[in-house]
Structures are given as C-alpha cells and as structure tokens.
Amino acid sequence: MDLKNILKTRKEKFVRDNLMSDEFLEFIRQNKEPYDMLMSYYRCAIMEVETKFKVLNEQFSLQYDRNPIEGIKSRIKSRKSLIKKIRNRGIPITLEAIEENITDIAGLRIICSFPEDIYMLEECLLEQDDVTLIERKNYIKEPKPSGYRSLHLIVEVPIFLHKEKRNVKVEVQLRTIAMDFWASLEHKLRYKKSIPENQSQELARELAECAEISAMLDERMQIIRNKISSVQENGDNKRA
Ligand code: GTP
Ligand code: MG
C-alpha cells in the first residue's frame, strides 16, 4: 500500500473510532439542541417585529391611502458568520454570551418609499410598549466613509413561549429604495477581490460619490412627495 492509501485508511479509522463514537455524537446532540432552540427564538422574534411593520403598513394604507413600506427582508445569521464573529471578538462560547454580545443574529431590513418614512416608522415602532431600544446608529445623518446610509436599530422584543417569556434582540435596518439599491450593489462589488489596490481606491471614491447622488435623489423625491401631499390636503380642506 502506498503512503496516500495508508493515510486514507488511518483517517477513516480515526473518524470511525473518535468522531462517530457514541460519546462524541452525544456531545454534538447536547450542544446542537440548545443552539437550534436559540435560533428558533430569533426566528420567532423576527416574526414578531415583521408583523409589527406589516400592521403599520396596513394601517397607513387604510388611513392615508399609501404604503410607507416597499418591502421587508429578513435573515438569521448563518452558522458560519456567527462563528466568525464569535472568534474575531473573542466572545466566550456559551449561549448566554452569544445572546448578550451578538446583536445581529436576527436581522430585518425595512425598505421605505421616502426618507421621512424611515423616522416615522421608527417612532411608531419605538412607542409600542413591548419594544425596548437597545442601540441606535444613524448612518443617514452620518454616512459611513463608504457612503453607506441606513438607520440601524437594535431592539428587544418579548416572545411568548409555552411556559416562558423571553426577551430577544433584533437588528432592524431601515432604508429607502435608493439606499438599498446602493448598498446591494456596493456589497456585490466589495467581494470582487481581483481589483488592484490603486484602482480599488478610485472605485471606492466613485462609489461614495454615487451614494451622494443617490441621497440627493432621495431628497428631491421627498420634496416632490411633500408638494403633492400639500396640494392634496388643500384640495381636501376646500372640499370639506
Ligand atoms: P458588524 O460586525 O459588521 O455587524 O459591525 P457593527 O456591529 O458595527 O454594525 P454596523 O453598524 O457597521 O452594521 C453592520 C451591517 O450594516 C452590515 O451587516 C451590513 O448589512 C450593513 N453595512 C454597514 N456598512 C456597510 C457598507 O459600507 N456597505 C454595505 N453594503 N453595507 C454595510
Ligand atoms: Mg452588526
């Protein structure tokens, strides 16, 4: 037998004797169940917060005949990027430490029609008595050097389980269609690693400029909308 085959046989024996032993499988089972349970709490929290936004959209649609929300996206952080973050930040590998320190396991992205809708929805969410604000980052007022704009909120909401109530953190990113358009494309371009350093700096500058242009467009669209609604209101008042 050549060396390659000897190593292959040894590896297979190691896996059979160690990684497939009853003790090891029991170890995985004991750790996997609490992890799966924790992830299911985050999925429930996403459902809770998503419903809150859907209810607000529905109410606005009935009351003012318009939908401030263009779309909602949600995601649970993948196991891979969760492990990466735990490692990079040196967080202890316990469920409590993960729950406490990693605030973006449950993520919701709310795409709004106009910039003012973002703050209006934020206010509507935060005035609900079961929502607690943990952290707020306004990257619209202070965009990131990349040009990234969005309003980030970390909120805590209760989820009601069979015999227990748990508070769970959810990261909510609120942005306009224009901000989302820019962030999605920039995210795609960011992973194109084959670009040489000198060119990538130039491209980064250009991307930041595109974000500015996009923000100006948002502003103009907001002004147009405000004009239209004031004309509408005047018309309504005259008729009344
Ligand atoms: P993370 O460890 O990345 O979560 O950093 P953080 O906790 O300081 O969060 P931050 O406020 O920077 O927001 C992180 C999230 O915002 C990312 O997961 C992205 O969804 C989004 N984001 C932040 N900066 C950028 C950016 O420059 N470009 C794009 N496309 N998205 C960004
Ligand atoms: Mg984050």
Side-chain angles (χ1 to χ4, degrees):
M1 227 192 309
D2 63 12
L3 184 63
K4 210 169 146 192
N5 275 329
I6 293 172
L7 286 176
K8 190 168 172 262
T9 315
R10 283 209 183 152
K11 192 172 149 196
E12 276 168 10
K13 186 172 171 0
F14 176 83
V15 169
R16 212 179 12 254
D17 293 350
N18 296 284
L19 299 185
M20 289 172 77
S21 67
D22 285 346
E23 291 84 353
F24 188 70
L25 291 177
E26 180 57 20
F27 173 81
I28 294 204
R29 196 190 62 76
Q30 276 181 11
N31 284 281
K32 193 178 170 302
E33 272 174 19
Y35 173 84
D36 288 348
M37 186 79 88
L38 185 65
M39 290 303 132
S40 103
Y41 297 153
Y42 284 110
R43 275 195 295 278
C44 295
I46 285 183
M47 286 193 266
E48 292 282 352
V49 181
E50 187 166 349
T51 304
K52 286 178 183 295
F53 281 107
K54 284 184 174 164
V55 168
L56 288 170
N57 208 30
E58 174 80 22
Q59 198 214 336
F60 269 84
S61 156
L62 279 176
Q63 211 166 341
Y64 304 107
D65 200 23
R66 73 180 198 93
N67 296 314
I69 299 175
E70 289 286 335
I72 301 179
K73 298 176 198 168
S74 69
R75 68 104 185 86
I76 289 283
K77 201 174 195 65
S78 71
R79 192 184 294 239
K80 198 174 145 198
S81 61
L82 183 58
I83 290 170
K84 204 167 139 197
K85 204 160 193 173
I86 292 169
R87 235 188 251 153
N88 290 347
R89 298 205 175 168
I91 293 163
I93 310 172
T94 65
L95 293 182
E96 292 74 26
I98 293 170
E99 262 189 292
E100 186 56 37
N101 295 294
I102 303 196
T103 52
D104 64 348
I105 296 178
L108 261 186
R109 201 166 272 165
I110 312 296
I111 319 294
C112 303
S113 314
F114 298 97
E116 284 177 11
D117 292 335
I118 293 176
Y119 299 110
M120 184 271 294
L121 287 168
E122 177 197 18
E123 205 184 318
C124 291
L125 177 74
L126 296 182
E127 70 189 16
Q128 300 188 9
D129 54 20
D130 56 349
V131 178
T132 309
L133 179 68
I134 306 290
E135 191 187 280
R136 178 180 196 265
K137 289 189 200 164
N138 191 344
Y139 295 126
I140 301 172
K141 236 177 154 186
E142 284 172 63
K144 287 209 166 188
S146 61
Y148 176 76
R149 287 163 167 80
S150 284
L151 178 67
H152 288 194
L153 307 174
I154 310 286
V155 294
E156 203 168 59
V157 288
I159 57 164
F160 295 90
L161 304 159
H162 178 40
K163 277 181 183 154
E164 184 194 5
K165 174 181 146 185
R166 280 186 84 97
N167 288 321
V168 182
K169 293 190 184 87
V170 178
E171 182 182 83
V172 184
Q173 300 180 345
L174 294 122
R175 45 170 83 154
T176 60
I177 306 168
M179 292 171 197
D180 188 54
F181 162 73
W182 181 92
S184 306
L185 295 190
E186 190 262 359
H187 182 76
K188 275 184 197 163
L189 296 172
R190 191 196 286 260
Y191 293 100
K192 302 256 177 273
K193 294 280 183 224
S194 54
I195 298 167
E197 181 64 23
N198 60 339
Q199 277 184 40
S200 81
Q201 275 182 10
E202 177 54 31
L203 290 174
R205 253 196 306 277
E206 213 162 313
L207 272 168
E209 203 183 310
C210 287
E212 294 274 334
I213 296 170
S214 177
M216 279 193 287
L217 196 60
D218 255 344
E219 218 173 285
R220 287 179 72 173
M221 296 301 274
Q222 178 76 61
I223 292 168
I224 295 171
R225 193 195 81 87
N226 291 353
K227 278 183 190 160
I228 293 174
S229 46
S230 73
V231 170
Q232 256 175 345
E233 265 168 40
N234 280 341
D236 290 349
N237 287 343
K238 273 188 195 140
R239 268 193 295 277

